[in-house]
Amino acid sequence: LQKVHVLPQTVLYIADAETFSGHEECHEQKKARKRNSKETALALEKLLPKRCQVLGLVTPGIVVTPMGSSSNQPQEIEEGEAGFALLFPKIDGVKIHTFHFSKDVKNRVFDESKFAEAGLKNNPDLRVVLLFGYNSWKTGATRFLHQIVNPLNEKSIILAGGQVESFTSLTSENNHAQPGDACGVVGLAFSGPQIQSATVLLDQDVADERTAEAAMQRLKAANIPEHNTIGFMFACVGRGYRHYKTKRNMEADAFRKFFPNVPLFGFFGHGEIGCDRIVTGNFVLRECNDIKDDLLHGYTTVMTLIHLGSAK
């Protein structure tokens, strides 16, 4: 900590399930692992400033660019323990905040006034929303996700994300926000007039190096500035080396070919959120087709760029 010169204001950390749960299978050990997950999350948060917003996710696999240089080779880690943390300091002209919507078993209709309370409506500076559904296997989880995604499906906002296994942290003041049997959505919202973003969808037909690179060319054509920019990859657990016939790291390699100095982070999950959507510098959407955007997918990959403005 003595070497830290800029303290983080918002932290997104993602680890694969093995990192948090280990390999034991007996019932009693599963109880112990759940306690250990909370302890691990608390230990991580104790390293951060008390007022820091924290969002921690658990996923089946990880996409990470090893620290040290943004030009390092991004890696798709589908098996074994892995994780990363993105630490966002205070950035002039940019506001990043966490949010959480959980399904109310008593009400089938979501109260959309909660969007405004979370800064997701009536916010002219809102540019990007990263959404992560959890406990997607629960009855009503898909319907609830639609209730969150559909009202946010606006031309001036980039939506991207996916279905995770669980979340371990929401903020440093609220470590136990997730009831064990609940389902819902957590996420990060990026607001600021200087933010630029774009997403492309790699569907099931993207199954070789040529078609993967063609998708990255579409993303490159958005002309998003690449300095002070982060790449996110949200992929289905059914893709990766299985989808590409045992060739590993295909999509991360294709991304690096076109964006050699943009670090790439993300995960393999149980469903993807996003579409082909490219927003120009004056934030007018350039539509890829005339069909209303379908944002919920399976067996796909969503690639996203978020530019946070000129670094000072």
Side-chain angles (χ1 to χ4, degrees):
L1 287 177
Q2 291 178 351
K3 296 182 180 179
V4 174
H5 298 284
V6 180
L7 291 175
Q9 192 172 67
T10 306
V11 173
L12 170 66
Y13 74 83
I14 303 179
D16 75 287
E18 289 184 34
T19 300
F20 274 92
S21 62
H23 302 281
E24 302 88 345
E25 292 300 330
C26 85
H27 180 68
E28 290 301 316
Q29 286 173 323
K30 283 185 179 178
K31 288 184 178 178
R33 291 206 306 275
K34 286 184 179 180
R35 288 196 299 270
N36 185 57
S37 295
K38 292 178 180 178
E39 290 170 2
T40 302
L42 284 168
L44 284 169
E45 292 194 12
K46 285 180 179 178
L47 299 174
L48 301 168
K50 288 185 177 180
R51 294 183 181 180
C52 186
Q53 294 185 106
V54 181
L55 176 57
L57 306 174
V58 177
T59 62
I62 295 294
V63 179
V64 61
T65 300
M67 63 185 212
S69 171
S70 61
S71 62
N72 281 345
Q73 176 70 37
Q75 299 175 10
E76 299 176 18
I77 304 174
E78 300 179 61
E79 298 162 349
E81 297 183 10
F84 65 86
L86 295 177
L87 282 66
F88 296 95
K90 183 177 180 180
I91 304 170
D92 289 341
V94 174
K95 181 179 179 182
I96 306 172
H97 67 269
T98 60
F99 60 86
H100 177 208
F101 304 123
S102 59
K103 184 177 181 294
D104 186 343
V105 294
K106 298 179 182 178
N107 297 312
R108 286 179 56 84
V109 179
F110 179 74
D111 180 3
E112 293 193 11
S113 67
K114 293 180 180 179
F115 286 130
E117 294 173 11
L120 301 179
K121 284 288 184 181
N122 305 320
N123 178 2
D125 288 333
L126 182 63
R127 295 293 183 261
V128 183
V129 180
L130 299 183
L131 297 158
F132 310 110
Y134 62 88
N135 284 352
S136 58
W137 53 272
K138 294 289 293 185
T139 302
T142 300
R143 182 175 181 274
F144 182 74
L145 183 58
H146 275 284
Q147 290 182 325
I148 301 300
V149 168
N150 291 344
L152 297 176
N153 189 2
E154 299 180 2
K155 292 183 183 299
S156 61
I157 302 172
I158 293 290
L159 298 181
Q163 299 272 19
V164 302
E165 294 202 352
S166 62
F167 76 88
T168 57
S169 308
L170 188 59
T171 68
S172 52
E173 292 83 20
N174 189 4
N175 292 290
H176 305 290
Q178 177 190 3
D181 58 350
C183 63
V185 176
V186 294
L188 287 178
F190 295 77
S191 302
Q194 68 202 43
I195 295 173
Q196 297 182 48
S197 184
T199 61
V200 294
L201 177 72
L202 285 68
D203 61 21
Q204 295 182 52
D205 293 336
V206 177
D208 56 35
E209 187 174 15
R210 179 184 61 82
T211 52
E213 290 186 357
M216 301 310 153
Q217 284 181 310
R218 295 203 310 275
L219 191 59
K220 186 80 172 181
N223 292 320
I224 301 297
E226 294 178 24
H227 64 281
N228 207 21
T229 295
I230 307 169
F232 286 98
M233 173 178 163
F234 305 115
C236 178
V237 291
R239 290 183 74 86
Y241 72 88
R242 299 172 187 85
H243 181 71
Y244 288 101
K245 297 180 172 57
T246 73
K247 186 166 184 178
R248 295 181 180 269
N249 228 62
M250 177 77 79
E251 292 174 347
D253 286 347
F255 179 89
R256 186 173 187 263
K257 180 176 180 178
F258 289 91
F259 302 96
N261 295 305
V262 177
L264 182 67
F265 300 94
F267 59 76
F268 290 89
H270 302 295
E272 302 76 60
I273 302 170
C275 64
D276 268 27
R277 178 170 277 197
I278 297 168
V279 177
T280 60
N282 60 356
F283 230 78
V284 176
L285 180 67
R286 187 163 73 247
E287 303 258 17
C288 292
N289 52 53
D290 296 325
I291 302 171
K292 182 175 174 59
D293 294 326
D294 183 7
L295 294 173
L296 303 183
H297 310 278
Y299 301 103
T300 65
T301 297
V302 175
M303 287 286 189
T304 305
L305 292 176
I306 302 178
H307 170 65
L308 299 173
S310 299
K312 295 181 179 179

